[in-house]
Amino acid sequence: MGEGESAELVLETGAAANGGSCVARHDGRVVFVRYALPGERVRVRVTGDRGSYWHAETLEVLEPSPDRVESLCPIAGVDGAGCCDLAFVDPDAARVLKGQVVANQLARLGDFAWSGVAEPVGDGAARGWRTRVRLAVGADGRAGFHRYHSSTLVTDLRCGQLPDGMLDGLDEPRWRPGEQVHVVLGDDGTRHVVCTNRQQRRGHAVEGGYDAVQRVGQREWRVPATGFWQSHRDAAATYSALVADWTRDLGAARAWDLYGGAGLFAAVLAEAVGQSGQVLTVDTSRAASRAARSALADLPQVEILTDSVRRALGGRREGADVAVLDPPRSGAGREVIDLLADAGVPRVIHVGCEAAAFSRDIGLYRGHGYHVEKLRVFDSFPLTHHIECVALLTK
């Protein structure tokens, strides 16, 4: 690090930036300040020097924002766990901030004007919403959460995101150093605890089973505890209902479910296109494909392909009437969006969990002549800066 590291400064904070910090300035240099709100006067410690800008963390709040509250997570904050970086913000105010951040990213990276507030998911509770969590294990055999951008662990497991009792009994020094402990609360009420290490892809269950029951409506999935499923207890149902609403008029059609995981959206698309339609769901994970084949076995119109989206689209001779994409945090990117546009897909539903990547993807679609017909932003990760965006694009 450079000369700015470890320096202490008093700063006035400006607008919220993507990633959970606020923007401040010191002698003309941009400083990204964590654990601060816009309009505050704070004493900070510089933690990183990137040349043209610094990173810093708040040590003392000299003039607080009216939106600051007592932390809703007892283990988060400076020198604490990196789990809940906005636990000190009133939840309603946090949703406003998240909307402002998305709007800024869309304007800068997507050349698209939008304004709004992040919507609550389910009952909107800021605490106790998470049903899947992964813990690291330190040299002392204790499981814990990483500090922000650090290998150091916090072994106090009282994270505000977690329901009471979710991690009961897991704080003892009972694990092998270097393991990861995956804990899932299934929709049938069963707790699953699965350990993995670098040598074990699958891992082994020490409580419950390897697969957890997940339900949306009348359909049931069995998803590995180490696999992907929405972490918010109400997110899967919320997004499914939205996709159903935006595909209600399809009729018999061809639909693509890309980065489809266990087939959550494939189930919705199968209902939309009916038995005369066709649904292709694609994911690179064999475990996700197995879960999809089991859960969607009664839907003959669904084809399940284990492959990369890029290769799958490159090998298709026919296009689709609609495509749903839920890519990883890095987004779909130019190559995949080019393939969608070349295939002439007239309707795309794009899901993104990182504001900058989502906004870049929106810009790529717009470059191909797509119009953003609808856009929703969800506060799917309360107490954190993370969001989920869903856009309906048409051409």
Side-chain angles (χ1 to χ4, degrees):
M1 295 296 181
E3 61 183 85
E5 186 178 8
S6 297
E8 291 191 9
L9 308 168
V10 173
L11 301 173
E12 305 279 346
T13 54
N18 189 35
S21 298
C22 283
V23 179
R25 293 187 179 272
H26 176 71
D27 290 340
R29 188 192 305 260
V30 170
V31 185
F32 293 102
V33 182
R34 290 181 64 78
Y35 309 115
L37 281 165
E40 291 189 324
R41 186 167 179 264
V42 292
R43 182 170 64 87
V44 308
R45 174 173 60 209
V46 176
T47 57
D49 184 346
R50 299 296 184 267
S52 61
Y53 63 91
W54 287 347
H55 288 289
E57 58 189 9
T58 300
L59 298 178
E60 182 182 6
V61 181
L62 305 174
E63 296 178 12
S65 163
D67 295 326
R68 181 176 283 272
V69 299
E70 190 72 23
S71 179
L72 297 173
C73 177
I75 65 172
V78 177
D79 299 325
C83 53
C84 300
D85 58 346
L86 293 187
F88 61 93
V89 187
D90 174 82
D92 290 335
R95 288 193 279 271
V96 173
L97 280 181
K98 291 181 183 187
Q100 292 171 349
V101 168
V102 172
N104 177 266
Q105 295 299 302
L106 284 167
R108 291 180 57 250
L109 302 174
D111 190 27
F112 179 70
W114 176 85
S115 62
V117 175
E119 305 173 34
V121 176
D123 62 7
R127 294 172 50 90
W129 52 267
R130 179 177 284 275
T131 62
R132 286 177 171 251
V133 67
R134 181 177 62 187
L135 306 172
V137 179
D140 61 356
R142 292 181 179 273
F145 299 94
H146 284 286
R147 298 187 190 276
Y148 178 68
H149 283 188
S150 171
S151 60
T152 303
L153 298 181
V154 173
T155 55
D156 183 339
L157 303 183
R158 296 174 298 149
C159 173
Q161 300 174 27
L162 306 179
D164 291 341
M166 182 172 175
L167 301 185
D168 281 358
L170 304 184
D171 55 353
E172 299 297 325
R174 55 184 287 195
W175 314 104
R176 292 191 179 94
E179 282 185 327
Q180 292 187 328
V181 182
H182 305 255
V183 187
V184 177
L185 292 180
D187 288 331
D188 60 352
T190 302
R191 184 174 79 166
H192 304 264
V193 181
V194 173
C195 290
T196 60
N197 56 43
R198 293 177 181 176
Q199 288 73 42
Q200 293 176 308
R201 287 189 178 181
R202 178 179 172 87
H204 63 282
V206 298
E207 181 179 327
Y210 185 73
D211 297 329
V213 171
Q214 309 287 176
R215 298 188 180 117
V216 176
Q218 300 302 309
R219 190 168 295 276
E220 181 175 289
W221 282 261
R222 293 186 178 273
V223 180
T226 57
F228 175 79
W229 188 261
Q230 294 292 339
S231 56
H232 192 295
R233 60 176 176 253
D234 296 311
T238 298
Y239 307 152
S240 292
L242 185 60
V243 171
D245 183 45
W246 288 356
T247 57
R248 198 175 303 280
D249 61 340
L250 273 179
R254 289 190 301 272
W256 290 343
D257 173 30
L258 308 177
Y259 311 96
L264 174 67
F265 296 139
V268 177
L269 292 170
E271 184 172 345
V273 305
Q275 293 187 358
S276 300
Q278 300 173 9
V279 178
L280 170 70
T281 181
V282 182
D283 199 276
T284 57
S285 168
R286 290 185 175 87
S289 295
R290 283 195 298 270
R293 288 190 179 93
S294 175
L296 310 181
D298 61 320
L299 301 173
Q301 67 269 50
V302 177
E303 176 188 356
I304 299 164
L305 181 62
T306 307
D307 203 346
S308 76
V309 169
R310 178 183 57 79
R311 283 194 299 267
L313 295 189
R316 307 303 290 188
R317 294 185 178 180
E318 294 182 328
D321 300 290
V322 64
V324 179
L325 291 81
D326 188 3
R329 287 182 57 79
S330 56
R334 182 177 300 277
E335 189 172 3
V336 167
I337 292 173
D338 285 352
L339 288 168
L340 282 172
D342 291 345
V345 180
R347 186 186 320 192
V348 175
I349 299 173
H350 190 98
V351 184
C353 63
E354 202 285 318
F358 175 81
S359 299
R360 282 191 292 269
D361 284 346
I362 293 298
L364 292 171
Y365 285 116
R366 285 169 51 78
H368 281 291
Y370 284 92
H371 302 280
V372 181
E373 189 171 317
K374 298 179 181 180
L375 195 150
R376 305 274 294 274
V377 177
F378 293 98
D379 186 20
S380 304
F381 309 92
L383 304 185
T384 81
H385 72 272
H386 299 289
I387 44 81
E388 196 91 49
C389 302
V390 189
L392 172 63
L393 302 112
T394 56
K395 184 176 181 179

